[in-house]
Amino acid sequence: MAAVDGSSHGKLPAVNTYAQHFVPFVSSIFLTFSSIAALRAQPPPGIGATDAWIRWLPANVPSAGYITLANKGTVPQVLIGASSTDYGEITLHQSRNIDGMSGMAPVDAIKVGPKTSVNFLRQGYHLMLTQPHRSVGAGERVPITLRFLSGQSMSVQFVVRAADAGANAAKTRAPILAAIP
């Protein structure tokens, strides 16, 4: 009768044989996925974020998030989504005026060309923040993760501003939240 280890000696393999082969295999898989996750958690090259803020609205009314994304790099970067532990859903939207009618519509992506920036407020974009998991108030910070087409992402702290903060609040510059190399 052949043994479990494939020999004809009828002996079972030593217990540590399993550990010697399986543990390094699992460890290498873990390290590979950890490396991929670390790469994806880094912002795309050349992308930086400033002026990240949320217009506070009461209760469970959807809120809007604004940011300026600057691309100092040489290749376009494309924002394709966002998420936060504080909101159940975040979608990309653009305000439009068609034939005198104002409205907003979801967009699939926002492109930030090389050596340019996109100011969400001035260019009609916003993050639509819905299904809040907690109440937030003016002055608080909300972490939002921005996801890019490259598979990379960056976490940005958005400052919550009162709804009546007005145009002056939009003009004040928040500190740079992600360094641009």
Side-chain angles (χ1 to χ4, degrees):
M1 173 168 100
V4 174
D5 67 359
S7 72
S8 59
H9 301 298
K11 296 189 290 184
L12 292 174
V15 174
N16 67 355
T17 301
Y18 174 78
Q20 288 173 338
H21 297 289
F22 185 72
V23 171
F25 173 73
V26 170
S27 296
S28 66
I29 290 174
F30 176 75
L31 289 174
T32 299
F33 284 114
S34 295
S35 299
I36 291 170
L39 173 65
R40 291 179 183 261
Q42 297 195 7
I47 282 287
T50 58
D51 303 323
W53 62 283
I54 295 170
R55 177 174 287 138
W56 176 85
L57 294 172
N60 286 331
V61 176
S63 298
Y66 300 93
I67 190 169
T68 298
L69 294 175
N71 182 359
K72 300 277 185 173
T74 57
V75 296
Q77 299 295 337
V78 181
L79 178 67
I80 60 168
S83 61
S84 174
T85 57
D86 291 320
Y87 291 91
E89 184 176 26
I90 300 179
T91 53
L92 308 175
H93 277 75
Q94 185 176 30
S95 298
R96 299 179 179 150
N97 190 330
I98 300 172
D99 296 329
M101 297 292 293
S102 293
M104 66 176 156
V107 295
D108 294 328
I110 300 171
K111 182 178 176 181
V112 185
K115 310 290 185 201
T116 63
S117 64
V118 174
N119 180 309
F120 278 38
L121 182 65
R122 291 189 190 126
Q123 292 174 264
Y125 293 110
H126 64 275
L127 300 175
M128 179 65 74
L129 310 166
T130 59
Q131 304 166 18
H133 293 157
R134 67 179 184 93
S135 296
V136 296
E140 289 187 55
R141 293 184 178 272
V142 173
I144 295 178
T145 300
L146 305 176
R147 292 187 321 276
F148 293 85
L149 186 61
S150 65
Q152 294 175 300
S153 61
M154 65 188 293
S155 183
V156 179
Q157 295 289 321
F158 281 66
V159 176
V160 179
R161 294 183 181 164
D164 63 354
N168 289 334
K171 293 178 185 174
T172 60
R173 293 188 59 83
I176 292 178
L177 301 169
I180 299 175

